[in-house]
Amino acid sequence: MSSFDSKDLFGSGPHRFAIGRQGQLISNRDFGGVILPNWHWLGLVDLQITVRGRLVATTEFNLRVLRNAMVNELTDPPTTGQLRDGVGGIWNDMSFVRYDEGDRRDRGRVFSIEYTAVFHRFVGGGEGEEDG
């Protein structure tokens, strides 16, 4: 089961995980407008994972409950939790930093709305290599 901080936020409908770039942030040296030929590293980039999916419910009210559960996880300051993709990917010390919805709700036999949820591991936010 996919989850954030042990909460099933994504399980009502289809969803997929996309892992952002990983590795060193590098830059060439700029000395007063003169770019020197050597590159240097600035440190590891923060890990960002984006979950795209659909919240699906049998009633408008239940869809609102799912949306509220998602939005209630956004805190100031961001808290950290474990993010799981349901197929073995586990990332520790992730913060839920953004939630975007599609421009329409679909109504039919079920009620649904697409969403994008962004999770971020801030540099220095703990250990954080993918365990699975």
Side-chain angles (χ1 to χ4, degrees):
M1 169 182 81
S2 300
S3 63
F4 174 65
D5 201 22
S6 300
K7 297 177 185 100
D8 180 14
L9 300 177
F10 322 110
S12 70
H15 57 280
R16 61 190 175 281
F17 283 61
I19 300 171
R21 68 182 178 147
Q22 298 177 74
Q24 292 286 337
L25 177 61
I26 60 172
S27 175
N28 56 355
R29 297 175 191 260
D30 183 348
F31 184 73
V34 177
I35 298 176
L36 302 176
N38 297 333
W39 288 82
H40 65 283
W41 72 93
L42 301 173
L44 292 174
V45 296
D46 296 351
L47 175 63
Q48 185 167 293
I49 298 176
T50 302
V51 182
R52 290 183 177 88
R54 291 195 79 76
L55 297 176
V56 179
T58 56
T59 67
E60 183 80 34
F61 175 81
N62 288 342
L63 182 61
R64 193 171 310 118
V65 168
L66 293 172
R67 293 168 73 201
N68 289 344
M70 195 73 87
V71 171
N72 288 339
E73 291 301 311
L74 297 167
T75 61
D76 183 24
T79 58
T80 61
Q82 187 178 74
L83 182 64
R84 294 175 168 259
D85 69 4
V87 292
I90 300 171
W91 299 271
N92 295 314
D93 302 316
M94 299 300 292
S95 296
F96 190 3
V97 296
R98 195 176 84 223
Y99 173 75
D100 300 312
E101 289 186 346
D103 60 351
R104 69 177 194 276
R105 284 187 300 239
D106 294 325
R107 295 174 177 94
R109 292 182 197 169
V110 296
F111 296 80
S112 70
I113 192 162
E114 69 179 350
Y115 67 87
T116 301
V118 179
F119 297 84
H120 196 91
R121 179 186 303 129
F122 295 97
V123 170
E127 302 180 42
E129 297 303 311
E130 180 179 351
D131 298 330

